[in-house]
Amino acid sequence: MSEAAPGPAPRACIVGWPVKHSRSPLIHGHWLETLGLAGSYGREEVSPEAFPSFLKTLQARGYVGCNVTVPHKEAAYRTVEVATDRARALEVVNTVWFENGVLHGDNTDIVGFVSSLDADAPGWADGAGHALVLGAGGAARAIVAGLLDRQVGLVTVLNRTRDRAETLARFFGKRVQAARWEDLSQLLHSADLLVNATSLGMTGQPALDVSLEGLRPGAVVTDAVYVPLETPLLREARARGARTVDGLGMLLHQAASGFEHWFGRLPEVTPELRALVVADIQKSHPA
Ligand code: NAP
């Protein structure tokens, strides 16, 4: 009896607008190569107007799934047929795949954030009473969810636009409060954890102009920004005796579960993968 012919190699992609900056193809390409799997991962630049119909026709376009990045994550949530509890909790989807032809969506930024801290600041959540989160956008929402999942007692959100911080606090309930951006210096002394979830400090964006005076040595400071890898925030935090975690770990860890859905193996975030992406960042943004 002859064996059934193998199907076509699975294809996945990242969908964004723009998308050429994305390092996801590098990450997934590395895993495909090192695991010796057939498959490919590309980029699709799709406008907001075209996105819903693009996603609905993903399978007809030959894809087994995709990652979704700015500005499509909320639209992806509205378009998938089945969303995980995590995606439903945030109303944001960044990873899409098919089960029996049905379009599923998840938010893997939450696990990406938590896994990155677990790997690079072990024990970070043990007894953590208070976390400060700068920013109230999509990244902040996933980060707050991750902090609450890991039983951080209280999360204070500070944002340029106060209303957005208050909306986010209401969304999560009584363990999350909003504060004014100017209150940071008073709040720092009680913080076990400080997270930058704004785009400030990223190459090409304004600096994150905050003083870390009062930060407790031993606090954990992490930045969602990963270009540059060592942001001025992390440099100052380290100088003050804090444990620091850069934003690249979150990017690498959020990618793993999508890969498993599309290509059938759960990949590892290894030092080799990190070195590959660091080299790429340094090539495109020399220090
Ligand atoms: P977003 O939804 O557009 O939110 C942007 C946030 O930055 C908002 O809180 C915004 O404040 C604040 N902000 C922007 N410009 C500002 C300024 N000039 N002054 C003060 N605040 C300013 O973006 P996002 O998706 O949350 O992404 C935020 C950052 O996280 C980006 O750098 C992104 O690359 C990074 N990120 C990293 C990962 C990772 O895996 N490491 C994952 C997701 C995102 P307002 O509300 O006042 O506008």
Side-chain angles (χ1 to χ4, degrees), residues 70 73 109 134-140 159-162 164 181 196-200 202 205-206 223-226 247-248 250-252 254:
V70 177
K73 293 183 185 183
D109 279 337
L134 306 177
N159 193 49
R160 171 179 63 176
T161 310
R162 175 83 192 257
R164 264 185 114 185
W181 189 262
N196 176 36
T198 72
S199 44
L200 296 175
M202 188 161 90
Q205 297 291 318
D223 206 325
V225 169
Y226 56 89
L248 182 54
M250 180 175 171
L251 177 75
L252 301 178
Q254 66 76 31

Side-chain angles (χ1 to χ4, degrees), residues 85-144:
D85 289 348
R86 288 178 300 203
R88 273 208 303 277
L90 303 191
E91 300 178 357
V92 171
V93 156
N94 72 339
T95 302
V96 168
W97 70 99
F98 292 93
E99 284 179 31
N100 301 320
V102 176
L103 196 60
H104 282 60
D106 192 12
N107 186 312
T108 64
D109 279 337
I110 305 172
V111 74
F113 172 72
V114 166
S115 301
S116 170
L117 284 178
D118 284 344
D120 295 336
W124 66 274
D126 298 346
H130 190 194
L132 305 180
V133 175
L134 306 177
R141 196 170 270 236
I143 285 166
V144 171

